[in-house]
């Protein structure tokens, strides 16, 4: 497992990070989740990403139990705040000083740790002054509850404004966590150049497009039994893609490219995002330990220029590049 610096900080993270969105506390049982975490550790993953909203706080608890007994100094633990948690009261979401203060304490308790390495704004809060949000994050850092601050699915303009405030407050905003894959490239035009200028790295989620780029969803065939697409909740985000016959056909054209590189299609997809020098880590999820073992093999892989061109040609017409999609997919008001 190779490690990369996160932004212009001195913190290194494993270039394959383990995330538990849609798995721990919901899609898989605690024993299976723990087995996946153990597999991640066994294969050199040191970076673990979660959020308080995942399974309404249960995912953090499962991860905390799975990591119990590990040397804390050898881990990088990342979590997030923004989406509703708890019973859904008027202050149980967003990036107000109240919610951030209460959320970090809850996350630390569930994760069974004194601090997190990176505390991330899970979305931009349109209803809280950004000055209030960044001051609250600064308080969290000064209290020793987080070492660094990051954001997730913020636009380039929001990142620039947040970074300026962070500098004024003397804290480090060092990362952005967006969706990024062969077929979802909306960060390339504005977010990545802005982050390169300001000294932030990307920690990308869904590098295999929630399973679409593994090739297991075949055109004209029902989703395989037990796959994410068949799960009542986990399958909702990819329902449109699973039904897109043209996209599934295009994805199958990646198979010979993967074969030529000596990779599985999942490994090819993870390796592809890691070719971007602004990407510090690709987050993988797993419901079985074997999936972890497969995906970590993408660490250290260099794809040839010919392979990169062939990937673009295979997926032509199915790649989303519009940078405005970050804004279009963002909540317009604080969720309840």
């Amino acid at each position: 497992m190779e490690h990369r610096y996160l932004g212009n900080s001195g913190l290194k993270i494993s270039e394959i990070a383990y995330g538990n969105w849609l798995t721990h506390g919901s899609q898989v049982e605690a024993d299976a989740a723990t087995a996946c975490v153990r597999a991640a550790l066994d294969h050199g993953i040191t970076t673990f990403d979660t959020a308080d909203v995942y399974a309404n706080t249960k995912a953090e608890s499962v991860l905390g139990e799975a990591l119990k007994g590990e040397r804390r100094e050898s881990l990088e633990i990342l979590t997030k705040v923004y989406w509703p948690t708890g019973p859904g009261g008027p202050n149980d979401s967003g990036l107000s000083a109240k919610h951030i203060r209460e959320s970090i304490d809850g996350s630390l308790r569930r994760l069974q740790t004194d601090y997190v390495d990176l505390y991330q704004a899970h979305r931009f809060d349109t209803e809280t002054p950004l000055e209030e949000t960044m001051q609250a994050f600064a308080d969290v850092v000064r209290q020793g509850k987080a070492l660094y601050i990051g954001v997730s699915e913020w636009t380039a303009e929001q990142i620039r404004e947040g970074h300026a405030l962070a500098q004024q407050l003397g804290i480090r905003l060092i990362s952005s966590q967006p969706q990024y894959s062969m077929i979802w490239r909306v960060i390339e035009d504005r977010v990545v150049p802005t982050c390169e200028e300001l000294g932030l790295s990307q920690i990308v989620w869904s590098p295999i497009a929630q399973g679409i780029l593994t090739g297991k969803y075949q055109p004209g065939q029902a989703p395989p039994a037990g796959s994410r697409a068949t799960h009542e909740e986990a399958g909702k985000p990819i329902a449109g893609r699973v039904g897109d016959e043209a996209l599934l056909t295009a994805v199958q054209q990646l198979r010979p490219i993967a074969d030529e590189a000596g990779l599985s299609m999942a490994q090819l997809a993870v390796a592809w995002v890691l070719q971007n020098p602004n990407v510090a880590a690709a987050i993988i999820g797993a419901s079985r330990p074997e999936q972890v073992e497969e995906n970590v093999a993408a660490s250290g892989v260099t794809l040839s220029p010919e392979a990169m061109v062939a990937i673009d040609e295979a997926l032509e017409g199915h790649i989303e590049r519009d940078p405005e999609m970050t804004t279009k997919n963002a909540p317009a008001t604080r969720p309840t």
Side-chain angles (χ1 to χ4, degrees):
M1 176 61 60
E2 297 192 7
H3 286 69
R4 301 184 179 189
Y5 284 106
L6 187 56
N8 63 1
S9 76
L11 179 68
K12 284 186 174 183
I13 61 175
S14 54
E15 64 178 14
I16 308 292
Y18 182 85
N20 65 358
W21 175 51
L22 294 178
T23 51
H24 295 189
S26 54
Q27 188 177 340
V28 300
E29 299 298 326
D31 288 349
T34 299
C36 290
V37 170
R38 302 313 306 177
L41 291 164
D42 290 344
H43 287 88
I45 291 177
T46 60
T47 305
F48 294 85
D49 179 83
T50 187
D52 56 5
V53 70
Y54 297 165
N56 196 16
T57 74
K58 292 179 183 177
E60 286 185 327
S61 297
V62 172
L63 183 60
E65 280 295 314
L67 293 175
K68 186 188 293 185
E70 290 297 314
R71 181 177 182 269
R72 180 64 183 87
E73 295 84 349
S74 299
L75 304 173
E76 304 85 46
I77 299 177
L78 291 44
T79 194
K80 313 181 198 72
V81 56
Y82 172 80
W83 294 103
T85 55
N91 290 302
D92 285 344
S93 67
L95 298 177
S96 68
K98 176 177 175 63
H99 187 56
I100 288 174
R101 175 175 179 171
E102 293 169 350
S103 294
I104 187 61
D105 288 342
S107 290
L108 295 179
R109 184 176 62 253
R110 289 184 291 270
L111 290 165
Q112 302 182 47
T113 183
D114 295 330
Y115 72 97
V116 292
D117 297 271
L118 183 69
Y119 199 38
Q120 303 162 96
H122 210 162
R123 290 296 186 273
F124 187 86
D125 187 351
T126 60
E127 298 184 23
T128 299
L130 186 55
E131 293 82 358
E132 176 183 341
T133 293
M134 297 310 294
Q135 181 63 63
F137 278 133
D139 291 342
V140 168
V141 172
R142 293 190 180 114
Q143 291 162 3
K145 296 177 180 179
L147 302 183
Y148 303 94
I149 299 302
V151 301
S152 178
E153 295 294 347
W154 283 27
T155 66
E157 294 75 16
Q158 291 163 350
I159 290 171
R160 186 176 295 280
E161 188 176 356
H163 181 267
L165 287 169
Q167 282 193 315
Q168 294 173 24
L169 292 163
I171 60 174
R172 306 295 301 281
L173 175 58
I174 62 171
S175 67
S176 163
Q177 187 175 129
Q179 181 180 180
Y180 186 48
S181 71
M182 294 176 180
I183 58 175
W184 190 265
R185 308 188 192 181
V186 302
I187 64 170
E188 291 182 341
D189 185 52
R190 298 178 190 170
V191 168
V192 167
T194 298
C195 288
E196 289 176 334
E197 175 193 342
L198 300 178
L200 284 73
S201 294
Q202 311 301 318
I203 304 171
V204 304
W205 59 274
S206 201
I208 59 174
Q210 297 169 45
I212 295 296
L213 294 173
T214 65
K216 64 184 174 183
Y217 300 111
Q218 301 274 350
Q221 298 183 22
S227 64
R228 177 167 291 180
T230 64
H231 190 273
E232 182 177 357
E233 290 300 321
K236 289 180 180 178
I238 60 171
R241 287 174 172 173
V242 170
D244 187 338
E245 296 282 311
L247 170 61
L248 299 184
T249 298
V251 167
Q252 292 304 314
Q253 296 179 47
L254 299 174
R255 195 173 297 280
I257 304 171
D259 290 343
E260 177 68 22
L263 303 169
S264 70
M265 289 178 67
Q267 290 165 351
L268 181 71
V270 174
W272 184 88
V273 300
L274 292 173
Q275 306 308 295
N276 187 321
N278 192 234
V279 172
I283 300 173
I284 64 164
S287 56
R288 303 186 310 277
E290 311 88 79
Q291 294 173 322
V292 176
E293 182 176 4
E294 177 184 1
N295 289 331
V296 295
S299 177
V301 170
T302 299
L303 298 177
S304 69
E306 293 78 13
M308 298 293 284
V309 170
I311 288 167
D312 288 351
E313 291 175 347
L315 297 174
E316 182 63 34
H318 303 283
I319 299 171
E320 181 59 72
R321 301 180 187 272
D322 182 5
E324 294 300 328
M325 292 302 295
T326 300
T327 300
K328 291 176 183 177
N329 289 337
T333 59
R334 185 189 297 175
T336 58

